[in-house]
């Protein structure tokens, strides 16, 4: 690959230099003064190139939409508020697409149509209040619509109410991994502060050992969520900023040292169901083809082949947090209530996880 | 100030009494034209570094962890066996962002053209204070040197992103770049800000006080309006970044806790108590958002001017253009929170910032429509500067439209800090402003150097750049919507993103080709200084005052009296005149009306 790349680079440099030399030669050939100003021929050539460029913009748009527009993340949300966000996203994207198509057309087409020609006189057209009013008012109305829709969505996402009786889960970030803390039977997280961290006793999240609410808390390195039940995440970080990004759930919130931030949602599709989703099956199949292909190279080099990929929801770190930021992740498993209950029963509660000395 | 101008008039009566030496002419010059060239050349040089860095980290993304001779050659110990280290990836991204935004597109763009055009277009002999102007450039130069020097420190340059959020940027144990590298970054930026403040003050005073007779505010070319308002935004917002930087220095070196609290790192609890990183984010973005307008407004000014001159038509809606510059300037100071929707600030604030952010789309839309109308029914001269101006409008629209998504808090949740953001801001700010800068260079090159750049090389440069810019940044929207976070050294730990590897390669190839073709520009730029065709006085047949000065630069700009202005800057193809442009210093004909726009 590197070799190929170097060759590519050299070829381009050579072409570039050759072009430059040739053109400079041509340009020096006793042309009239002021010959570096566009001539009618230049105008015509560049005008056609403008139309070509318009076509290029349209083509790259279509290629991107066809090839990458249906990456399942965009279409398969797995949280209760997801479809609402996606809906707004799609409305915005369609709007953008329409405006983009029209304005780029006008820009490039005018550049083509009104290319400079001898004898053409430009129209002295300096002002027109009606026109300007029109293109002030149209954006105002469209944007007003988007703002109102957006604000309703935002408010409904961000206002998690305690009435829904959510399960409270703490997401705890540190360079460079995630922990989850469940509140246990009392559904109340125990008090915690990084100053109380005691590595020797395995009190890694700094829970207050004397707080009764903390005793039954459960600390895990995998995030399990029961389907259909609202969760309220309380985020903490022990060192630098991190961001808990759960793209499948359209969820993200920074973890800020010194304060607790929060975000809530209701997962609606279990991991098992998502794996059965036809779009997801396609995506996974495609990814595995790529992995098989890549494995061939690796094996040829004497390394291990890549594992087959199986779909899982993920929590990614999405705020630069240092060297291994790129590998700070946690698996999320959405399951039925029974599976969840069974899983949580197996986990050690805080009281029992402490090392006694 | 006026005394200064007077002495020059006086000077011209009996030649020069003090011949400038090489040093006062080329190095410690107080002449705005020379300072403008110094800014430009420094900016170009920094731009080369910035682009080279982007090519390196793009290669890492496309061919992760593969040995690469370029890395081996340029990164030394940071690329053992030619494999890029993860820390240096973040450092490259950080320094790339810093250099591009501040050194190239703030100082390089605004510094060059404000200096060149403010005195020339308003009819002044020089800046209000030539001395401060020189100080401003040399401070900028020093800050460049320090930033470059920081690349070579033992533990590596700053690597906390160009936004340098603490605690990452505050704690050397959190990131190796947060030691000496970050100290130098902060010092460099503090000096840079001082340079910008001095420069900005000078621009504002010059525009207010030194306009020639007849040059009322409503006859100013839009370039001057743009530089003027940009300088004001800078004066309002840069001090806030300066204070953020100073407070961060205090936290880092003097044990204060402005931005830090409750930190446990590498097995120990730090003493910091009570500060908040969110406060830093507010301070940073209070500059950071206006900063993008500091970058784009001058480009808008240049493009407006170039579009009118090359369409041989008045700029459409002159007053609306001024009004929208002012509206953008005002709104730009109250939208910073859109960078912080998921920072943990109160969601209600998020709603407010969504509202103000989408408002700013309105003046931006007005500007775009006005440019399109400006070329409608024109007689378009396809000079390179014009091509870049059309390219500017194109990328500004493409990039600006996705702002509707990012500014909408509900939608930002899912695309915040992904490649969608990278795509958006590179198109709307990075590439657009870069096009504005290229347009400016091609257009005013004859004024700066007395020679013409080669147009065919210009055409090659434009078309390849235009294709590559879309090729790089358009597909990034899609990988962003697929959830790919930015600032990841490699995506190979996420099989989920394996199907994006192809796109990433395509993007990188476009980036490499685009980067290499900038050589065409460099060649054209530097060779033409010496071998370009001699320029005529007014090669683009333009109306503004700078084209009434002699081609050879003289101190004081005009040999005799200062020109007097009788009309606005956009009398192109005005009915009743034989030629298709009437310069500002030509009196109205009998019975001719000055357009009341
Ligand atoms: C050759 C053209 C350019 C290419 C290929 C390029 C590429 C990139 C890429 C891929 C990133 C994201 C890296 C990451 O998050 O992991 C980035 C970051 C950035 N670029 Fe560029 N860029 C180019 C030119 C510019 C220009 C002209 C500007 C001027 C505004 C600019 C400003 C930035 C900034 C501010 C960042 C963010 C740095 C950070 O995350 O801290 N870039 N660039
Ligand atoms: Cu991280
Ligand atoms: Cu902003």
């Amino acid at each position: 690959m590197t070799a190929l790349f170097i060759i590519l680079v050299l070829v381009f440099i050579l072409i570039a230099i050759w072009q430059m030399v040739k053109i400079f030669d041509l340009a020096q050939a006793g042309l009239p003064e002021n010959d570096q100003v566009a001539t009618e021929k230049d105008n015509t050539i560049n005008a056609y190139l403008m139309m070509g460029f318009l076509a290029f913009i349209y083509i790259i748009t279509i290629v991107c939409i066809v090839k990458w527009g249906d990456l399942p993340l965009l279409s398969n949300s797995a949280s209760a508020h997801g479809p609402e966000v996606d809906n707004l996203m799609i409305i915005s994207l369609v709007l953008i697409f329409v405006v983009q198509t029209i304005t780029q057309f006008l820009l490039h087409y005018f550049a083509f149509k009104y290319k400079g020609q001898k004898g053409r006189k430009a129209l002295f057209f300096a002002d027109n209040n009606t026109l300007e009013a029109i293109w002030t008012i149209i954006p105002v109305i469209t944007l007003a619509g988007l703002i109102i829709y957006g604000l309703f969505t935002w408010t409904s996402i961000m206002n998690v109410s305690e009435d829904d009786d959510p399960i409270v889960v703490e997401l705890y970030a540190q360079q460079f991994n995630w922990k989850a803390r469940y509140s246990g039977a009392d559904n109340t997280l125990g008090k915690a502060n990084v100053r109380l961290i005691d590595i020797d006793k395995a009190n890694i999240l700094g829970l207050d050992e004397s707080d009764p609410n903390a005793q039954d808390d459960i600390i895990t390195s995998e995030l399990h969520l029961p389907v259909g039940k609202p969760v309220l995440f309380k985020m903490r970080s022990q060192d630098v900023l991190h961001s808990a990004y759960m793209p499948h759930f359209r969820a993200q919130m920074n973890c800020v040292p010194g304060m607790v931030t929060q975000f809530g949602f209701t997962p609606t599709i279990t991991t098992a169901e998502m794996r059965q989703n036809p779009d997801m099956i396609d995506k996974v199949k495609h990814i595995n083809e790529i992995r098989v292909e890549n494995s061939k190279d690796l094996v040829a080099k004497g390394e291990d082949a890549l594992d087959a990929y199986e779909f899982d929801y993920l929590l990614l770190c999405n705020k630069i947090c240092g060297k291994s930021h790129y590998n700070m992740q946690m698996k999320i498993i959405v399951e039925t209530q029974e599976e969840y209950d069974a899983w949580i029963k197996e986990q050690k509660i805080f009281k029992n996880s402490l090392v006694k000395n | 100030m006026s005394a200064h101008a007077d002495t020059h008039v006086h000077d011209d009566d009996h030649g020069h009494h003090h011949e400038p030496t090489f040093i006062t002419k080329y190095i410690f010059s107080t002449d705005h034209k020379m300072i403008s060239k110094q800014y430009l050349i420094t900016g170009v040089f920094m731009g080369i570094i910035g682009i080279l860095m982007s090519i390196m980290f793009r290669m890492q993304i496309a061919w992760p962890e593969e040995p690469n001779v370029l890395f081996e050659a340029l990164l030394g110990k940071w690329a053992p066996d030619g494999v890029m280290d993860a820390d240096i990836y973040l450092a490259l991204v950080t320094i790339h962002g810093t250099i591009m935004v501040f050194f190239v597109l703030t100082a390089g763009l605004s510094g060059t053209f404000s200096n060149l055009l403010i005195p020339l277009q308003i009819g002044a002999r020089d800046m209000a204070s030539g001395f401060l102007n020189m100080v401003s450039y040399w401070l900028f130069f020093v800050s460049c040197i320090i930033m470059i020097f920081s690349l070579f420190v033992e533990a590596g340059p700053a690597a906390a992103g160009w936004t340098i959020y603490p605690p990452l940027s505050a704690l050397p144990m959190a990131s190796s770049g947060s030691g000496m590298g970050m100290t130098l970054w902060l010092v460099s930026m503090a000096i840079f800000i001082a340079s910008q403040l001095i420069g900005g003050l000078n621009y504002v005073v010059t525009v207010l006080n030194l306009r020639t007779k007849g040059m009322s505010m409503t006859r100013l070319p839009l370039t001057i309006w743009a530089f003027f308002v940009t300088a004001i935004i800078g004066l309002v917002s840069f001090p806030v970044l300066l204070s953020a930087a100073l407070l961060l220095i205090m936290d880092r070196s003097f044990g204060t806790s402005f931005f830090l609290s409750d930190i446990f790192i590498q097995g120990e609890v730090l003493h910091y108590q009570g500060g908040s990183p969110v406060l830093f984010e507010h301070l940073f973005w209070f500059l950071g958002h206006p900063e993008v307008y500091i970058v784009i407004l001058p480009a808008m000014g240049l493009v407006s001017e170039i579009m009118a001159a090359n369409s041989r038509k008045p700029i459409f809606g002159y007053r609306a253009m001024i009004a929208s510059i002012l509206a953008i300037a005002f709104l730009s100071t109250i939208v910073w929170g859109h960078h912080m929707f998921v920072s943990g600030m109160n969601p209600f604030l998020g709603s407010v910032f969504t509202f103000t952010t989408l408002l700013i789309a309105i003046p931006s839309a007005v500007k775009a429509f006005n440019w399109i109308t400006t070329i409608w029914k024109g007689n378009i001269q396809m000079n390179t500067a014009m091509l870049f101006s059309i390219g500017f409008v194109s990328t500004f629209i493409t990039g600006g439209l996705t702002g509707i998504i990012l500014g909408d808090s509900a939608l930002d949740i899912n695309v915040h800090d992904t490649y969608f953001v990278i795509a958006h801001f590179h198109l709307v700010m990075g590439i657009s402003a870069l096009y504005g800068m290229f347009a400016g260079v091609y257009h005013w090159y004859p004024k700066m150097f007395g020679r013409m750049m080669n147009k065919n090389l210009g055409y090659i440069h434009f078309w390849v750049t235009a294709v590559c810019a879309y090729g790089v940044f358009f597909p990034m929207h899609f990988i962003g919507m697929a959830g790919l976070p930015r600032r990841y050294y490699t995506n190979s730990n996420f099989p989920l993103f394996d199907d994006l590897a192809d796109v990433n390669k395509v993007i990188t190839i476009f980036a490499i080709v685009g980067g290499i073709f900038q050589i065409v520009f460099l060649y054209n730029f530097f060779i033409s200084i010496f071998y370009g065709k001699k320029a005529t006085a007014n090669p683009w047949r333009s109306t503004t005052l700078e084209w009434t000065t002699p081609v050879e630069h003289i101190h004081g700009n005009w040999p005799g009296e200062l020109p007097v202005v009788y009309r606005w800057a956009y009398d192109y193809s005005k009915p009743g005149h034989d030629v298709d442009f009437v310069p500002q210093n030509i009196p109205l004909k009998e019975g001719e009306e000055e357009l009341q726009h």
Side-chain angles (χ1 to χ4, degrees):
Chain A
M1 207 67 225
T2 327
L4 181 76
F5 161 73
I6 297 168
I7 294 171
L8 210 75
V9 171
L10 288 178
V11 167
F12 275 111
I13 293 180
L14 288 178
I15 295 178
I17 292 174
W18 173 75
Q19 286 279 20
M20 287 188 287
V21 172
K22 203 180 106 191
I23 286 161
F24 252 115
D25 284 354
L26 284 178
Q28 300 306 325
L31 290 168
E33 209 184 303
N34 230 1
D35 65 341
Q36 294 308 317
V37 178
T39 61
E40 201 169 312
K41 190 161 150 252
D42 294 328
N43 291 343
T44 312
I45 295 175
N46 284 294
Y48 278 99
L49 286 172
M50 280 288 164
M51 289 314 272
F53 193 67
L54 179 66
F56 171 73
I57 295 180
Y58 287 167
I59 289 170
I60 195 170
T61 311
I62 292 168
V63 169
C64 283
I65 292 176
V66 171
K67 284 197 70 161
W68 304 305
D70 196 32
L71 296 166
L73 259 191
L74 200 60
S75 44
N76 298 315
S77 65
S79 61
H81 71 265
E84 221 178 320
V85 172
D86 291 354
N87 221 357
L88 181 57
M89 184 77 171
I90 285 165
I91 292 176
S92 308
L93 283 173
V94 169
L95 187 81
I96 288 173
F97 180 81
V98 172
V99 178
Q100 162 82 350
T101 309
I102 295 174
T103 47
Q104 298 289 353
F105 172 78
L106 293 178
L107 177 71
H108 292 88
Y109 178 69
F110 288 167
F112 167 76
K113 177 132 194 266
Y114 302 108
K115 59 186 169 289
Q117 282 166 343
K118 285 227 174 55
R120 168 176 271 167
K121 194 150 166 75
L123 177 71
F124 188 77
F125 183 53
D127 225 340
N128 183 312
N129 289 341
T130 329
L131 273 182
E132 283 170 89
I134 291 177
W135 58 59
T136 312
I137 290 168
I138 291 179
V140 169
I141 295 173
T142 345
L143 287 169
L146 280 182
I147 291 176
I148 291 169
Y149 191 172
L151 289 184
F152 272 112
T153 316
W154 168 251
T155 322
S156 82
I157 297 173
M158 298 311 281
N159 286 356
V160 260
S161 95
E162 307 276 340
D163 310 340
D164 303 336
D165 188 24
I167 17 176
V168 179
V169 180
E170 175 176 273
L171 288 176
Y172 184 87
Q174 72 195 111
Q175 285 181 327
F176 297 94
N177 65 67
W178 295 98
K179 292 273 182 288
R181 174 159 66 113
Y182 293 82
S183 47
D186 59 3
N187 203 18
T188 313
L189 288 167
K191 289 202 202 75
N193 186 296
V194 295
R195 287 168 202 281
L196 303 174
I197 292 177
D198 188 340
I199 300 286
D200 297 335
K201 290 177 77 181
N203 182 359
I204 49 172
L205 303 198
L207 269 59
D208 182 347
E209 289 165 32
S210 62
D211 182 358
N213 289 331
Q215 305 307 319
D216 63 346
D217 286 4
I218 294 166
I219 299 168
T220 66
S221 19
E222 237 177 35
L223 183 60
H224 285 241
L225 301 173
V227 70
K229 187 113 192 345
V231 223
L232 178 59
F233 292 104
K234 301 274 180 183
M235 281 91 166
R236 274 202 302 145
S237 161
Q238 73 171 33
D239 40 35
V240 300
L241 291 175
H242 300 271
S243 186
Y245 180 40
M246 296 171 267
H248 301 95
F249 304 100
R250 312 293 187 259
Q252 173 162 213
M253 183 51 68
N254 287 4
C255 309
V256 185
M259 76 191 251
V260 178
T261 54
Q262 65 171 32
F263 197 99
F265 64 79
T266 309
T268 50
I269 302 177
T270 63
T271 303
E273 283 165 355
M274 195 55 128
R275 286 178 182 164
Q276 295 312 312
N277 177 312
D279 282 348
M280 198 50 83
I281 291 176
D282 276 355
K283 181 183 169 94
V284 171
K285 192 162 144 247
H286 180 212
I287 289 177
N288 276 323
E289 283 163 11
I290 297 171
R291 290 176 77 77
V292 168
E293 210 41 51
N294 293 349
S295 294
K296 282 186 194 148
D297 293 349
L298 287 175
V299 172
K301 278 195 261 171
E303 292 169 39
D304 292 343
L306 300 169
D307 300 337
Y309 168 62
E310 187 172 33
F311 173 79
D312 263 311
Y313 295 119
L314 280 184
L315 166 64
L316 297 81
C317 179
N318 197 19
K319 184 61 74 192
I320 183 172
C321 61
K323 184 164 186 150
S324 298
H325 169 51
Y326 67 92
N327 192 19
M328 184 168 159
Q329 48 174 315
M330 178 160 69
K331 188 150 92 169
I332 306 177
I333 293 155
V334 180
E335 54 203 359
T336 59
Q337 187 71 45
E338 297 79 55
E339 289 166 324
Y340 172 77
D341 292 339
W343 174 79
I344 204 125
K345 217 179 278 155
E346 280 173 20
Q347 309 302 315
K348 260 202 192 143
I349 57 174
F350 176 67
K351 194 170 56 182
N352 301 341
S353 72
L354 285 175
V355 179
K356 310 256 163 22
N357 40 6
Chain B
M1 268 158 255
S2 58
H4 183 73
D6 284 343
T7 29
H8 285 301
V9 179
H10 188 67
D11 261 2
D12 299 321
D13 291 340
H14 49 92
H16 291 278
H17 21 230
H18 46 96
E19 276 300 312
T21 62
F22 180 82
I23 297 223
T24 55
K25 179 148 184 235
Y26 291 105
I27 301 183
F28 294 108
S29 168
T30 56
D31 188 294
H32 70 101
K33 302 182 288 298
M34 181 54 70
I35 293 178
S36 129
K37 287 193 259 187
Q38 292 174 326
Y39 264 112
L40 179 58
I41 289 174
T42 317
V44 167
F45 182 73
M46 295 304 276
I48 297 173
I49 301 181
I51 289 183
L52 206 64
M53 286 178 162
S54 69
I55 290 179
M56 286 200 282
F57 62 69
R58 268 319 309 179
M59 293 203 306
Q60 157 64 23
I61 289 294
W63 301 288
E65 292 154 289
E66 277 190 39
N68 183 315
V69 280
L70 194 66
F71 299 167
E72 200 156 9
L74 292 177
L75 299 176
K77 70 164 180 181
W78 295 106
D81 300 324
V83 179
M84 187 187 282
D85 170 84
D87 267 328
I88 204 70
Y89 175 87
L90 293 179
L92 287 174
V93 170
T94 302
I95 306 292
H96 159 80
T98 310
I99 285 185
M100 283 305 196
V101 173
F102 292 112
F103 293 72
V104 180
L105 294 179
T106 302
L109 171 58
S110 202
T112 304
F113 292 103
S114 299
N115 269 305
L116 179 72
L117 295 179
I118 289 179
L120 286 175
Q121 288 194 334
I122 66 173
R125 298 217 180 263
D126 204 324
M127 282 289 182
S129 166
F131 175 73
L132 283 184
N133 211 18
M134 177 187 84
V135 173
S136 161
Y137 170 75
W138 284 103
L139 286 175
F140 166 55
F141 185 80
V142 171
S143 71
C144 288
I145 298 291
I146 297 179
M147 190 58 79
I148 291 174
F149 181 73
S150 83
L151 301 177
F152 298 98
V153 300
E154 181 62 32
W162 80 286
T163 48
I164 59 154
Y165 286 174
L168 185 63
S169 59
L171 307 173
M173 52 281 222
S175 151
S176 60
S178 295
M180 195 58 188
M182 182 59 69
T183 304
L184 290 174
W185 193 98
L186 287 166
V187 171
S188 164
M189 281 308 296
I191 298 175
F192 179 87
I193 292 169
S195 144
Q196 290 307 299
L197 292 177
I198 296 174
L201 216 53
N202 217 347
Y203 306 152
V204 171
V205 172
T206 309
V207 172
L208 288 180
N209 287 346
L210 296 187
R211 299 191 311 276
T212 186
K213 190 154 171 254
M215 183 61 92
S216 60
M217 291 303 272
T218 51
R219 280 180 181 161
L220 282 178
L222 287 173
T223 33
I224 303 301
W225 267 105
F227 300 146
F228 176 63
V229 174
T230 302
I232 293 174
I233 305 179
L235 290 177
V236 171
S237 55
F238 266 118
V240 180
L241 181 64
L242 186 59
S243 54
L246 292 178
L247 296 183
L248 186 54
I249 290 175
M250 304 274 268
D251 276 7
R252 287 166 50 82
S253 309
F254 302 106
T256 55
S257 302
F258 291 106
F259 306 131
L260 308 176
S261 187
D262 294 332
I263 292 169
F264 178 90
I265 192 165
Q266 291 189 354
E268 56 170 323
V269 176
L270 306 184
H271 70 271
Y272 302 106
Q273 179 78 67
S276 170
V278 178
L279 173 62
F280 180 88
E281 295 178 42
H282 280 296
L283 293 177
F284 181 88
W285 287 111
F286 190 86
L287 161 91
H289 191 86
E291 170 62 25
V292 310
Y293 291 95
I294 292 176
V295 161
I296 203 71
L297 281 178
M300 288 177 164
L302 298 173
V303 162
S304 302
E305 183 65 29
I306 293 169
M307 281 209 149
N310 284 296
S311 303
R312 316 307 295 159
K313 266 189 74 191
I315 188 79
F316 181 77
Y318 175 76
R319 298 224 161 196
M321 289 302 233
I322 296 174
S324 57
I325 291 178
L326 293 173
I328 286 175
F330 171 69
L331 289 171
S332 79
T333 58
I334 53 167
V335 298
W336 77 89
H338 62 212
H339 300 273
M340 299 171 60
F341 289 136
V342 295
S343 67
M345 75 180 182
N346 188 321
F348 175 71
L349 270 180
S351 311
V352 175
F353 283 118
T354 296
F355 178 70
T356 53
T357 301
L358 295 189
L359 276 190
I360 210 168
I362 295 163
S364 311
V366 168
K367 292 195 86 88
F369 287 125
N370 281 4
W371 285 316
I372 294 179
T373 314
T374 299
I375 65 173
W376 176 71
K377 295 208 169 187
N379 183 21
I380 301 170
Q381 306 302 308
M382 296 282 185
N383 290 304
T384 317
M386 183 62 177
L387 297 182
F388 273 105
S389 302
I390 296 173
F392 170 97
V393 179
S394 173
T395 53
F396 183 73
I397 292 174
T398 310
L401 283 170
T402 50
I404 298 176
I405 288 177
L406 291 164
D408 201 329
S409 47
L411 297 178
D412 184 57
I413 295 173
N414 218 46
V415 284
H416 178 80
D417 261 349
T418 64
Y419 271 88
F420 192 85
V421 179
I422 303 284
H424 159 74
F425 79 73
H426 275 88
L427 284 171
V428 75
M429 159 176 85
I431 296 301
S432 297
L434 205 60
Y435 281 7
M437 187 162 167
F438 280 133
V441 171
Y442 282 104
H443 192 78
W444 279 283
Y445 194 90
K447 194 77 262 164
M448 296 180 110
F449 296 100
R451 291 177 186 270
M452 307 292 285
M453 286 175 84
N454 181 291
K455 69 177 173 192
N456 289 332
L457 288 178
Y459 294 149
I460 296 179
H461 176 219
F462 172 73
W463 287 110
V464 178
T465 307
V467 168
C468 290
Y470 270 95
V472 170
F473 294 112
F474 201 82
M476 276 191 198
H477 293 108
F478 293 83
I479 56 181
M481 284 189 283
L484 187 67
R486 66 194 277 208
R487 296 167 170 171
Y488 269 20
Y489 160 69
T490 163
N491 308 315
S492 45
N493 293 310
F494 293 91
L496 167 70
F497 298 133
D498 274 357
D499 52 356
L500 304 179
D502 278 355
V503 206
N504 270 323
K505 290 199 178 88
V506 172
I507 290 173
T508 300
I509 290 175
F510 273 115
I512 294 170
V513 175
I516 287 174
F517 265 82
Q518 301 314 306
I519 296 174
V520 178
F521 169 76
L522 293 176
Y523 179 84
N524 196 357
F525 181 85
F526 286 108
I527 294 294
S528 303
I529 293 181
F530 306 103
Y531 303 111
K533 288 259 165 154
K534 282 254 172 356
T536 52
N538 189 359
W540 319 118
R541 298 152 33 90
S542 198
T543 54
T544 38
L545 293 183
E546 74 273 28
W547 305 106
T548 62
T549 62
V551 177
E552 287 293 323
H553 285 179
I554 56 170
H555 205 41
N557 296 338
W558 283 269
E561 299 274 307
L562 286 175
V564 178
V565 167
Y566 298 97
R567 52 179 80 236
W568 72 328
Y570 299 102
D571 274 343
Y572 289 104
S573 304
K574 192 172 188 188
H577 289 268
D578 304 333
V579 276
D580 66 355
F581 69 113
V582 192
Q584 286 190 279
N585 60 341
I586 305 287
L588 296 178
K589 280 184 184 171
E590 208 162 318
E592 181 184 354
E593 273 188 52
E594 186 184 8
L595 190 76
Q596 271 315 324
H597 22 264

